[in-house]
Amino acid sequence: MSKANSTETRQREEEDEQGSAHGAAGEQLSTAPREERPDTGAGVPAMSVIGWVRWFWRQLTSMRVALILLFLLSLGAIPGSLIPQTSVDDMKVQAFKEQHTTLTPVYEALQLFDVYSSVWFSAIYILLFVSLIGCIVPRTGQFVGQLRSRPPGAPKRLTRLPAYTTWRTEAEPEEVRAAALAMLRGRRFRGHEVGDAVAAEKGYLREAGNLVFHIALIVMLIAFASGQLFKSEGGKLVVEGDGFSNTLTQYDDFKSGSLYDADSLAPFSFVLDEFVGTYEKSGPQRGTPRTFEARVTYAEGADGAERKGVIKVNEPLVVDGTKVYLIAHGYAPVVTVRDGKGKVVSKSAVPLLPIDNNITSSGAIKVMDGYKDKNGKKTQLGFKAFFVPTFAGHGKGQMFSQFPALDFPVLALSAYQGSLGVDSGLAQNVYQLDTSKMKEFKDEDGELLKKMLMPGEKLDLPDGAGSITYEGTEEWASFQISQQPGNGWALGGAIAAIAGLAGSLFIQRRRVWVRAVRGADGVTVVEMAGLGRSESAKLPEELGDLSAALVATAPVAPAAPEKPDAADTPDGSAATDATNEAGSRPVHPAEAPAEGAEK
């Protein structure tokens, strides 16, 4: 009984020893930092301030916290997509505030109208940045150290590893090890000979991909930050025949990052030669744009040669790193205003803003200078304008366009005189008419003077005050001119992140050991075993292919004669033999005993 207990104790000691060897062989298969576990004793001393700082730093630089911060950053971006942002469209923000008076104070307190520049979003952004750097630096050092080091020697008992095979051969052990080393190196394993075994390793691109993924995240964070700090973005509405020069005073609206310098605007200019828009005329897609492009003549620099270009939706014109996007289109009726003496005081194409998909448009026509009333007194004129490119006809419902193309244009006007309020020094919407200080022109019935005009028709103002003539219609296009220096880096970082993630997911880092020793009967015993960072069905298959390749150099020896049973031996102990259950043939890794089982 004591002998049986002694045998069991010895087996447990061997298993513990092999388990520790197994761990030592595989502990360097990952560059993940090891977590320090506190003592579980009853009396744990209180940590000092430095201890708490170290603990906080370890938590911040852990992969778990980095993933949590990345998730929080994604959640924080949701309100920036759903709620109008001041940095994108201030007019939409103002309209939202007017419609939601209850939510507005809450949103303002939470900085939801400026999500990407808010304190809480910036805090998450900076913490994620620090976490990634603190995680990558030590892992990079460990990875470089592993690249410079050699694979560790073979564990004492290779049978404990997940994939294992063995056979006997008449080749010399030195020849087997030399052939194994050459064969493994030929298959791009990094190997060397350690004692009576060959140690080889492959799959370093897995860890390299992991590091590339995290470095790419940092590159993307830096690119996004630089894009927000150094970006510039402005809008410009241009009527056919007019042009634009990339200077600050030419923009209708302009916004930039906090570190942007207006002197860095790229010098270029362009003229809108023609806007071309065609639309589906029938079927369920009626009115859908088929052609939507702005044909321009542009020049780079102050004295650059003129070149032709076409700007389409999602196909911007790129000039010296600045992109010109086509974002909208509409119509600009050409009107001529004359005073009571017939003198032309204003003639221009007045852009009107669309209010539906059929480009029904509204706006204001303002005559600020040059007009005098019948008494010779300087005053100002204002007209509320409503335009439809395709009129349904009189008596066919309200005046809304039936089609976006310029098939049957009609301009409806109502007339006012007085002060437009432009001399107060306050900003004013050019598409709205402030009539608080103006008087209506009256018709014969004492009502507001208004009339629908077709091209060539005019509206006569009462008492010889002049007239306004609808000459024709031009088209306009609205452009967004943007410069974001971090876009290229962000794209490169995204591609690198995907490539690194694919490498870390699909490449398996594994080690292979080949031991060749002379058995008690003088025949060489070959053992091969493999260990991967994670469980994989491919590891036994790969080990089987490697063993088949090595058998060509170290062929299987003839089967050894059978040994007598333990009961037939004089001392009653089991006979030892270097063969396996299958005799002398190699055992495929799939046939290897489970971990903890004896051969």
Side-chain angles (χ1 to χ4, degrees):
M1 187 72 176
S2 61
K3 182 177 181 181
N5 292 337
S6 175
T7 302
E8 293 177 358
T9 302
R10 185 170 63 255
Q11 288 178 350
R12 284 196 298 268
E13 292 176 351
E14 290 178 355
E15 289 175 359
D16 293 341
E17 178 183 354
Q18 296 310 316
S20 62
H22 186 169
E27 64 180 358
Q28 295 180 348
L29 283 176
S30 173
T31 57
R34 302 176 184 86
E35 294 188 1
E36 298 182 9
R37 299 179 180 177
D39 296 335
T40 57
V44 179
M47 288 193 297
S48 63
V49 175
I50 297 178
W52 278 108
V53 171
R54 290 177 177 173
W55 177 86
F56 177 78
W57 176 253
R58 286 196 300 269
Q59 298 303 313
L60 180 61
T61 56
S62 66
M63 187 57 61
R64 177 177 61 254
V65 172
L67 291 175
I68 292 174
L69 290 172
L70 188 60
F71 179 69
L72 291 177
L73 196 69
S74 302
L75 287 180
I78 293 176
S81 302
L82 300 178
I83 300 174
Q85 298 295 294
T86 304
S87 59
V88 177
D89 194 334
D90 188 56
M91 294 184 65
K92 284 188 177 180
V93 173
Q94 296 301 324
F96 183 91
K97 291 180 178 180
E98 293 175 359
Q99 296 174 4
H100 304 85
T101 56
T102 304
L103 289 176
T104 295
V106 178
Y107 284 6
E108 289 179 340
L110 297 176
Q111 299 178 300
L112 295 184
F113 294 117
D114 298 280
V115 167
Y116 303 110
S117 59
S118 63
V119 174
W120 56 269
F121 191 87
S122 300
I124 298 174
Y125 196 93
I126 294 173
L127 286 176
L128 177 61
F129 188 80
V130 174
S131 177
L132 288 174
I133 292 180
C135 180
I136 288 174
V137 171
R139 289 178 72 116
T140 303
Q142 292 181 14
F143 182 60
V144 172
Q146 290 180 16
L147 288 177
R148 298 178 62 183
S149 64
R150 292 184 172 187
K156 184 177 180 181
R157 296 186 64 180
L158 295 177
T159 56
R160 300 293 185 187
L161 298 184
Y164 173 81
T165 185
T166 182
W167 71 93
R168 291 155 42 93
T169 181
E170 295 180 350
E172 295 296 323
E174 294 79 6
E175 296 177 0
V176 175
R177 291 194 290 268
L181 182 60
M183 181 265 296
L184 290 170
R185 287 178 174 174
R187 300 199 178 198
R188 299 190 300 277
F189 278 83
R190 190 170 64 107
H192 67 122
E193 192 170 342
V194 185
D196 60 358
V198 172
E201 189 169 8
K202 189 178 183 180
Y204 277 97
L205 286 179
R206 179 189 181 94
E207 293 302 324
N210 195 8
L211 291 175
V212 167
F213 172 73
H214 290 86
I215 293 173
L217 287 182
I218 292 180
V219 171
M220 292 172 64
L221 290 176
I222 294 175
F224 291 147
S226 63
Q228 291 296 317
L229 293 174
F230 296 97
K231 74 173 183 178
S232 68
E233 186 176 275
K236 180 63 178 179
L237 187 148
V238 182
V239 180
E240 287 178 332
D242 292 344
F244 167 78
S245 179
N246 193 28
T247 58
L248 201 57
T249 57
Q250 288 279 301
Y251 284 92
D252 295 334
D253 59 84
F254 183 84
K255 295 179 181 179
S256 62
S258 57
L259 299 181
Y260 183 79
D261 184 4
D263 293 336
S264 60
L265 285 171
F268 70 92
S269 61
F270 67 87
V271 174
L272 177 61
D273 298 326
E274 181 185 13
F275 180 87
V276 179
T278 60
Y279 308 90
E280 188 69 34
K281 292 185 177 296
S282 62
Q285 299 291 324
R286 185 176 185 272
T288 303
R290 294 307 179 198
T291 304
F292 205 77
E293 61 186 33
R295 299 174 182 176
V296 299
T297 301
Y298 70 97
E300 185 175 353
D303 301 318
E306 292 186 346
R307 289 180 284 182
K308 296 291 185 179
V310 177
I311 307 175
K312 301 179 181 180
V313 178
N314 297 326
E315 295 183 19
L317 173 69
V318 182
V319 183
D320 194 16
T322 301
K323 295 183 178 180
V324 182
Y325 293 90
L326 174 63
I327 60 174
H329 156 259
Y331 294 104
V334 180
V335 294
T336 301
V337 179
R338 294 178 173 85
D339 60 13
K341 297 180 180 181
K343 178 184 176 182
V344 176
V345 295
S346 174
K347 183 177 182 178
S348 62
V350 182
L352 303 179
L353 295 182
I355 61 174
D356 61 19
N357 292 333
N358 287 328
I359 320 185
T360 302
S361 307
S362 65
I365 301 172
K366 302 178 182 181
V367 180
M368 294 177 284
D369 299 311
Y371 176 78
K372 295 180 181 180
D373 61 14
K374 60 181 181 179
N375 299 322
K377 182 181 178 181
K378 291 184 178 181
T379 187
Q380 295 175 331
L381 296 179
F383 301 88
K384 288 185 178 181
F386 198 85
F387 176 80
V388 290
T390 302
F391 183 46
H394 293 285
K396 295 184 178 181
Q398 296 179 346
M399 185 176 173
F400 281 92
S401 179
Q402 305 301 303
F403 194 70
L406 202 64
D407 293 340
F408 186 6
V410 171
L411 175 65
L413 298 174
S414 54
Y416 300 82
Q417 66 174 337
S419 174
L420 294 170
V422 295
D423 300 327
S424 62
L426 299 177
Q428 190 179 88
N429 192 330
V430 296
Y431 303 104
Q432 294 180 354
L433 184 64
D434 182 8
T435 60
S436 60
K437 297 181 180 181
M438 304 190 77
K439 295 181 179 181
E440 300 176 351
F441 281 103
K442 303 293 184 178
D443 59 14
E444 296 177 353
D445 299 328
E447 300 293 335
L448 172 66
L449 180 65
K450 54 186 177 181
K451 185 179 181 180
M452 290 191 297
L453 305 177
M454 290 187 293
E457 295 182 344
K458 69 177 180 176
L459 169 63
D460 290 319
L461 302 178
D463 300 328
S467 65
I468 179 171
T469 304
Y470 173 29
E471 306 286 357
T473 309
E474 299 285 352
E475 299 189 53
W476 59 258
S478 181
F479 300 94
Q480 177 180 294
I481 300 94
S482 63
Q483 184 178 7
Q484 289 187 323
N487 283 352
W489 285 98
L491 177 61
I495 295 175
I498 294 174
L501 184 61
S504 64
L505 291 177
F506 298 108
I507 298 176
Q508 183 186 14
R509 187 175 174 189
R510 63 271 193 203
R511 286 182 177 142
V512 173
W513 291 275
V514 181
R515 175 175 284 142
V517 296
R518 195 178 302 279
D521 56 355
V523 180
T524 300
V525 178
V526 181
E527 291 181 289
M528 292 186 69
L531 175 65
R533 178 177 175 181
S534 59
E535 295 295 333
S536 173
K538 293 184 178 180
L539 181 61
E541 295 178 3
E542 184 177 29
L543 191 68
D545 294 339
L546 294 174
S547 64
L550 187 57
V551 165
T553 304
V556 178
E562 294 184 0
K563 298 293 181 179
D565 295 336
D568 299 334
T569 57
D571 58 356
S573 60
T576 58
D577 186 27
T579 61
N580 50 48
E581 297 93 328
S584 297
R585 70 174 178 84
V587 177
H588 192 276
E591 303 173 7
E595 186 173 346
E598 292 293 338
K599 293 289 293 176

